[in-house]
């Protein structure tokens, strides 16, 4: 019989995957991204401790905590998409299909404390302003796995499968179908190794992550220890030990009548396997509470110290990424606030239709790792899309409508004249002018130049990067978006702020200055593009 | 070997037919085409004007035979609405597709390699919606490399090889349906410049070759059988993307000769408020000099009507 747990797990993972699948532009307005990610017991801590802000959707989290106080750590076995992913991946790495009895049920039991230590480390680092908690947040990890690794992989796979049939399709007259998008992300191999490692250790110890490492699990364990519903063993128990060996969380100690409430995730495997049917999960029954196994004071202090050290290191090695001046998605809060709020779930990377948004690689420093970076050379920011502002669950990117998003200036384009085909090589190239959706690049005649050369009007430029993306020169473009003049507001209207600064960003600008520029020249000067 | 009178007469007839086709002629319809104008210029509402322009050239069956696979190349590279005049009007593509369909084409593909994101272009240009009820008719924005194939440009002066959309290479008929617009580096962007929307690597044209020569090189291979320039609106400044000054000539210009069509439109419209002769558009001049078509419109037969 399929247990309730399996149904729950399957449904929750399915809903999570549907959430990711529906996170595509245009974003449906009913999409509950914020509420789903608010379920993660860890994600609220980062913004709270680093920036002193509470994320929205907190009621969902409070409801989870309340449920945990009644049910215990049920989230891990029934809801958590990462836990389910680990469970489902087990047959891929396990020796045989059956998850048979473990030879050493209490193997590595001492590592259990690690999760509390990691939680302490994350908290202490966050108190000093470095948000590392997303490293251990299971929803973030699951989202990153599915968005950054599995989805691009499946796309490539589909592409291979589909390509031999493509000519067949094109003869059927079926409505247009676009080939699988070629999305790719930086940091992918690093992440693949990290997550691959977590999957691999499943071979020897099921739910290695949940048992020993998951700091979100640690939060729930602390609440769940005092839960009302508990595993209770009746006198029928013969102490055969089968439950002990089958428990995926090592929650049953030497005396099988006892339960480590901090470890029990209510998967009920022990109840199903008990030959005497001596195990029930209920409010009532014999009550044998044991004190929670927590790390000692010394270890706790060490973890806190390590957290402080990390915070120092993270702040220090931010220098390079600060110097480079990262371009963030439109509507991103000011850098410090943005990094403290961003939970690195990757939903903005998922929604971005041009693949412009990339996870920031580790080389840019610990503090900004995996945060979305806008890379115009890979893809430009579509004027008709505000997807990333709609799906950010933590408010690191503000919710903006299309008009506001257009005014949320990501940076400014600058022409690298030494590399520009028109400026240096006398070639009639206008690609940057052609692609600019805002009329910010214009061609003007310039003394000593045989062709019209491009200029950027920075008050019209929103930093979308169409120019950098399309620039036909090899390698780095001859027109580059830099984060100079970027607009990053925590509140208030981007339009108003931009207008105060004298920006004039618009798509419908029909009064064309280049027209007047063309006619203001000498009468014999031909308009751009024509030649004698 | 004996030759019967009947066979003798048959061969005579066949040889005579072949001669009358001239050297260019394995296509019998070219014989009928004599006496038809080189250029058809029709003023009026979009759909009837398109139809009339093609009728003046002898009707769509002149260009498309039953069973043909047809590619129509509009401008739909921008996610801007029709009134901005940076894309061909969807109504033009619709009436062309209907005519092609009536002529019995087995498949109609409307293709472009967009500058903006494909889905947004399809939606904003109105192209997808305009043809969705026409059977066997598809709009596609292609940019995936494996949907292109490298071909040799035998008559290319600078461009010797380029990658062209497979669907275009497999098609029987190519129809160019550009919008009339200004272009900052090529003067105008009409049917000839529009052929760059069927290749993969446009960047090379800008940074390796002389752009104008490269366009002519490409057009020696991608020569549409029919060109219809949509001058219902024209973007006369700040092209090719705009926004710029849009005028409304409400005219369709059709020709078998892409160079003649481009040349006529160049002369017909005031760019930046000025009349500019087609020889000042370098790729038109080069195409004329290389014999790809004619820009001396004063020597061509033109039929103009107003509806």
């Amino acid at each position: 019989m399929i247990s309730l747990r399996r149904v729950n797990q399957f449904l929750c993972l399915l809903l999570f995957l549907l959430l990711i699948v529906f996170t595509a532009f245009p974003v449906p307005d009913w999409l509950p991204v914020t509420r789903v990610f608010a379920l993660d017991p860890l994600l609220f801590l980062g913004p709270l401790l680093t920036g002193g802000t509470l994320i929205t959707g907190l009621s969902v989290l409070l409801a989870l905590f309340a449920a945990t106080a009644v049910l215990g750590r049920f989230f891990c076995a029934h809801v958590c998409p990462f836990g389910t992913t680990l469970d489902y991946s087990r047959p891929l790495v396990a020796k045989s299909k059956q998850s048979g009895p473990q030879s050493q049920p209490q193997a590595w039991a001492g590592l259990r404390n690690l999760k509390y230590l990691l939680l302490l480390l994350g908290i202490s680092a966050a108190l000093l302003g470095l948000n590392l908690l997303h490293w251990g947040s299971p929803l973030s990890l699951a989202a990153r796995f599915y968005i950054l690794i599995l989805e691009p992989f499946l796309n490539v796979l589909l592409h291979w499968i589909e390509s031999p049939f493509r000519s067949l399709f094109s003869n059927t007259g079926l409505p247009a179908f676009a080939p699988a998008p070629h999305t790719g992300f930086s940091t992918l191999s690093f992440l693949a190794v990290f997550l691959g490692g977590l999957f691999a250790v499943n071979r020897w110890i099921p739910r290695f992550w949940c048992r020993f490492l998951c700091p979100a699990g640690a939060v729930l364990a602390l609440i769940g220890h005092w839960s009302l519903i508990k595993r209770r063993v009746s006198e029928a128990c013969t102490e055969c030990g089968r439950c002990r060996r089958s428990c995926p969380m090592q929650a049953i100690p030497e005396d099988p009548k006892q339960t480590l409430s901090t470890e029990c995730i209510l998967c009920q495997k022990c109840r199903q396997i008990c030959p005497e049917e001596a195990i029930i999960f209920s409010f009532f029954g014999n009550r044998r509470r044991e004190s929670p196994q927590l790390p000692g004071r010394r270890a706790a202090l060490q973890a806190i110290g390590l957290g402080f050290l990390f915070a120092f290191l993270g702040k220090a090695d931010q220098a390079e990424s600060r110097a480079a001046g990262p371009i963030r998605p439109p509507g991103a809060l000011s850098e410090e606030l943005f990094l403290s709020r961003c939970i690195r779930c990757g939903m903005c990377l998922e929604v971005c239709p041009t693949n412009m948004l990339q996870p920031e690689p580790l080389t840019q420093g610990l503090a900004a790792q995996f945060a979305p970076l806008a890379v115009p050379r890979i893809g430009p920011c579509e004027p008709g899309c505000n997807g990333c502002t709609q799906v950010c669950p933590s408010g690191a990117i503000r919710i903006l409508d299309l008009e506001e998003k257009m005014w949320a200036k990501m940076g400014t384009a600058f022409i690298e004249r030494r590399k520009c085909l028109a400026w240096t090589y006398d070639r009639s190239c206008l690609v940057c002018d052609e692609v600019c959706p805002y009329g910010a690049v214009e061609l003007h005649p310039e003394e000593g130049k045989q062709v019209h050369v491009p200029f950027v009007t920075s008050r019209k430029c929103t930093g979308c990067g169409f120019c950098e993306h399309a620039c036909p020169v090899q390698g780095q473009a001859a027109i580059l978006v830099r984060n100079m003049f970027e607009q990053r507001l925590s509140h208030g209207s981007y339009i108003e702020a931009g207008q105060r600064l004298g920006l004039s960003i618009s798509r419908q600008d029909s009064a064309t200055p280049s027209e007047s520029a063309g006619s203001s020249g000498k009468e014999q000067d031909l308009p751009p593009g024509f030649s004698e | 070997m004996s030759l019967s009178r009947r066979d003798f007469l048959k061969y005579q007839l066949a040889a005579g037919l072949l001669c009358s086709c001239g050297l260019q002629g394995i296509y019998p319809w070219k014989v009928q085409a004599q006496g038809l104008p080189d250029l058809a210029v029709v003023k009026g509402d979009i759909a009837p004007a398109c139809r009339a322009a093609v009728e003046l050239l002898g009707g769509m069956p002149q260009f498309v035979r039953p069973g043909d696979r047809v590619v129509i190349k509009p401008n739909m590279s921008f996610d801007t609405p029709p009134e901005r005049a940076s894309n061909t009007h969807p109504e033009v593509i619709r009436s062309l597709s209907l005519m092609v369909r009536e002529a019995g084409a087995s498949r109609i593909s409307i293709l472009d390699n967009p500058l903006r994101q494909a889905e947004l272009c399809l939606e904003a240009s109105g192209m997808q919606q305009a043809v969705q009820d026409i059977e066997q008719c598809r709009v596609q924005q292609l940019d995936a490399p494996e949907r292109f194939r490298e071909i040799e440009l035998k008559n290319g002066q600078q461009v010797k090889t380029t990658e062209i959309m497979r669907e275009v290479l497999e098609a029987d008929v190519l129809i160019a349906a550009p919008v009339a617009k200004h272009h900052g580096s090529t003067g105008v962007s009409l049917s000839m410049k529009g052929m760059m929307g069927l290749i993969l690597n446009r960047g090379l044209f800008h940074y390796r070759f002389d752009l104008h020569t490269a366009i002519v090189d490409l057009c020696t291979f991608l020569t549409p059988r029919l060109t219809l320039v949509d001058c219902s609106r024209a973007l006369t400044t700040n092209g090719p993307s705009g926004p710029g000054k849009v005028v409304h000539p409400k005219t369709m210009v059709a020709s078998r000769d892409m160079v003649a069509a481009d040349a006529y439109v160049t002369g017909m419209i005031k760019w930046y408020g000025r009349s500019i002769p087609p020889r000042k558009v370098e790729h038109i001049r080069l195409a004329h000099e290389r014999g790809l078509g004619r820009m001396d419109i004063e020597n061509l037969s033109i039929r103009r009507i107003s509806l």
Side-chain angles (χ1 to χ4, degrees), chain A residues 61 103 121 138 145 163 206 211 248 312 367 426 480-481 492 529:
Chain A
L61 183 64
S103 48
L121 191 156
F145 170 68
S163 47
R211 278 188 202 187
F312 161 71
D426 282 330
L480 299 164
V481 177

Side-chain angles (χ1 to χ4, degrees), chain A residues 182-486:
Chain A
H182 292 266
T183 44
F185 296 104
S186 51
T187 75
L188 201 140
S189 16
F190 168 74
L191 203 63
V193 169
F194 174 71
L195 288 169
L198 288 185
F199 291 144
V201 288
N202 254 354
R203 177 187 168 102
W204 298 282
I205 301 173
R207 283 188 172 246
F208 181 94
W209 167 262
C210 317
R211 278 188 202 187
F212 302 140
L213 301 177
C214 182
V219 174
L220 292 177
L222 292 174
I223 302 172
H225 179 68
W226 285 279
S227 69
L228 302 176
I229 288 185
K230 288 210 180 296
R231 170 179 176 270
R232 308 192 194 260
V233 185
S234 71
E235 293 308 315
C237 173
T238 59
E239 303 199 8
C240 66
R242 284 183 73 172
C243 54
R244 266 191 77 208
R245 288 194 296 274
S246 72
C247 179
M249 293 295 288
Q250 304 175 319
I252 304 168
E254 297 294 319
D255 171 11
K257 287 179 181 164
Q258 290 204 346
T259 318
L260 301 175
S261 307
T262 52
E263 304 305 310
C264 176
I265 57 175
L266 279 90
C267 70
Q268 313 217 10
K269 232 175 208 165
C270 50
R271 186 177 62 84
Q272 288 153 8
I273 211 163
C274 178
E276 310 299 329
E277 298 185 359
I279 299 169
I280 51 164
F281 284 81
S282 82
F283 287 103
F284 313 104
N286 52 343
R287 201 174 169 81
R288 288 199 192 169
R289 170 173 295 166
E290 45 321 293
S291 53
Q293 286 200 344
L294 291 175
R297 185 185 301 160
R298 192 180 170 79
L301 286 173
Q302 281 166 342
I304 290 168
L306 207 59
F308 289 158
L309 186 68
F310 264 113
F312 161 71
L313 288 175
K315 289 268 168 186
D317 77 350
Q318 234 177 325
E320 194 190 331
S321 89
R322 280 276 165 87
I327 304 169
R328 299 293 179 200
L333 304 178
S334 62
E335 188 69 6
E336 192 111 343
L337 215 54
F338 170 75
L339 289 181
S340 82
R341 277 228 173 179
C342 174
I343 59 172
R344 274 67 154 179
C345 60
M347 294 303 263
C348 51
L349 314 177
E350 163 75 10
V351 80
C352 181
T354 64
N355 209 199
M356 178 194 219
L357 297 184
Q358 295 285 322
E360 195 160 328
L362 191 61
T363 49
Q364 294 292 313
L366 204 56
Q369 166 96 70
F370 298 133
L373 198 62
V375 186
R377 198 59 168 157
I378 297 177
C381 182
E382 273 295 339
C385 170
N386 58 348
C388 52
T389 75
Q390 303 294 304
V391 300
C392 181
S394 68
I397 307 172
R398 278 176 61 193
I399 301 170
L400 301 177
D401 62 27
L402 280 174
E403 191 73 10
E404 278 281 328
K405 181 229 127 184
M406 183 176 84
W407 282 80
K409 192 172 162 78
M410 301 159 73
T412 310
F414 294 91
I415 294 168
E416 172 60 278
R417 293 188 180 176
R418 287 168 303 170
K419 212 180 172 186
C420 176
L421 295 177
W423 273 101
T424 303
Y425 297 93
D426 282 330
R427 290 187 173 273
S428 54
C429 177
L430 83 168
V431 174
C432 47
D433 172 29
E434 174 179 48
V435 296
C436 178
Y438 306 100
V441 184
E442 279 163 10
L443 297 173
H444 294 302
E446 174 84 0
E447 216 161 300
K449 300 288 169 203
Q450 289 167 24
V451 295
H452 285 60
V453 288
F455 290 87
V456 178
T457 314
S458 79
R459 68 188 166 84
K460 288 184 175 182
C461 175
T462 188
C464 68
F466 264 95
C467 49
E468 183 175 337
H469 176 63
C471 178
V473 303
Q474 283 151 310
Q476 196 184 47
I479 183 164
L480 299 164
V481 177
R482 295 288 176 245
N483 71 336
M484 196 159 155
F485 303 132
E486 66 176 357

Side-chain angles (χ1 to χ4, degrees), chain B residues 106-220:
Chain B
S106 63
R107 199 175 90 198
I108 310 166
S109 310
I110 295 151
L111 302 174
D112 203 355
N113 182 351
L115 274 165
R116 302 275 161 74
Q117 226 233 327
E119 287 84 12
L120 293 171
C121 291
L122 286 182
E123 204 176 299
S125 68
M127 220 59 88
Q128 183 101 67
Q129 217 169 10
V131 298
Q132 64 187 1
D133 61 326
I134 302 176
E135 266 177 72
Q136 297 293 325
C137 185
R138 304 169 305 133
V139 186
Q140 280 193 307
Q141 298 271 33
L142 305 180
D143 50 12
E146 63 277 5
R147 309 200 67 162
F148 291 74
R149 198 176 76 213
E150 182 161 5
I151 53 102
E152 198 184 336
L153 298 179
K154 289 204 179 67
N155 298 315
Q157 287 181 353
Q158 291 195 2
V159 189
K160 298 295 184 191
T161 62
T162 190
E163 295 92 3
I164 293 180
M165 281 179 200
R166 285 170 186 273
E167 286 209 50
V168 177
L169 299 173
E170 289 159 7
D172 303 297
V173 181
L174 174 61
I175 295 175
V179 68
K181 62 176 173 177
H182 167 252
H183 194 282
S185 42
T186 58
V188 292
S189 172
L190 301 169
S191 66
M192 293 180 67
K193 171 72 178 67
M195 290 303 129
M196 279 174 73
L198 297 176
I199 64 168
L200 181 65
N201 197 341
R202 285 187 290 241
L204 278 180
F205 277 40
H206 287 280
Y207 74 79
R208 183 158 301 159
F209 308 117
D210 170 61
L211 184 55
H212 297 278
T213 310
I215 290 173
V216 180
D217 285 351
L218 180 64
C219 290
T220 60

